[in-house]
Amino acid sequence: MAVCCTVAVAGLLALVAVQSGHAASVSVPQVLTPPMGWMSWEVFRCEVDCLTHNETCINEYLYKSQTDRLVADGYLDAGYDGIHLDDCWMRKVPSRDIEGRLVPDKRRFPSGFKALGDYMHSKNVRFAIYTAESPHTCAKYPASAGHEEIDADTFASWGQQWNWDPLCFPKQLAWVQLLWW
């Protein structure tokens, strides 16, 4: 995925800037190394049943624990500086709050993403969030299509430093967007 991400630098914010007429003010920095860190998908997929699977559930505890391991086990010192919240973090119904913002599932992320991002930042770890440039994510959770600007603003307000934004469905062409804030 790191090779895919490095090659596919475009960005949700760049799309928003183009749509809003501010394209000239957007610059996407070049990176010398690919994004390195820990992502939940390969091991935990979309396990959201925290009562039955409390050790493998996608929740706040999992991401704080992995943040702590990244630091304690020396991965941060080796350049692995990000924790990536992959699919299935969103609340499904209603998918957005009264202001139209995506929200994390409150049962699994009781402190919210601002607090989770602050926790990661206190350990010098980058906070990354997954969404999709389609109506739904690959796991059929709410996504960002048609809500790019408000989602970019929301993610930034949580302290997110990069965004992984694949295209999940057959009518979409390829994995395209990675944004460094």
Side-chain angles (χ1 to χ4, degrees):
M1 174 163 45
V3 172
C4 169
C5 296
T6 305
V7 172
V9 175
L12 186 57
L13 188 58
L15 177 61
V16 170
V18 169
Q19 289 177 342
S20 65
H22 299 292
S25 65
V26 174
S27 67
V28 179
Q30 293 186 8
V31 293
L32 299 177
T33 59
M36 299 191 315
W38 183 84
M39 180 188 294
S40 57
W41 186 258
E42 287 307 315
V43 175
F44 300 98
R45 299 286 177 187
C46 195
E47 180 56 65
V48 296
D49 181 357
C50 296
L51 294 177
T52 306
H53 304 282
N54 64 339
E55 302 258 333
T56 59
C57 179
I58 300 298
N59 64 15
E60 183 174 318
Y61 174 77
L62 174 69
Y63 292 107
K64 283 184 172 181
S65 297
Q66 292 304 320
T67 299
D68 293 341
R69 298 306 321 175
L70 200 72
V71 175
D73 294 347
Y75 290 101
L76 182 63
D77 292 337
Y80 293 85
D81 64 352
I83 295 290
H84 183 270
L85 282 77
D86 212 301
D87 208 341
C88 309
W89 60 264
M90 307 81 162
R91 180 177 72 189
K92 277 192 166 181
V93 179
S95 61
R96 294 181 176 271
D97 67 14
I98 197 161
E99 296 173 350
R101 297 176 184 272
L102 279 175
V103 290
D105 184 310
K106 193 71 168 167
R107 292 172 296 126
R108 293 182 288 118
F109 297 94
S111 301
F113 276 10
K114 172 71 171 120
L116 184 57
D118 289 347
Y119 181 84
M120 291 177 187
H121 296 151
S122 76
K123 309 276 185 172
N124 293 317
V125 172
R126 289 180 186 251
F127 176 38
I129 300 175
Y130 163 91
T131 186
E133 185 49 39
S134 53
H136 297 92
T137 67
C138 298
K140 306 286 194 259
Y141 276 74
S144 293
H147 302 278
E148 292 86 357
E149 186 169 3
I150 195 165
D151 288 355
D153 290 345
T154 300
F155 299 161
S157 76
W158 293 337
Q160 174 204 4
Q161 289 148 309
W162 55 281
N163 183 64
W164 177 238
D165 190 356
L167 300 174
C168 299
F169 300 98
K171 291 184 180 180
Q172 299 165 333
L173 300 176
W175 300 68
V176 293
Q177 297 179 356
L178 172 70
L179 174 65
W180 294 91
W181 296 110

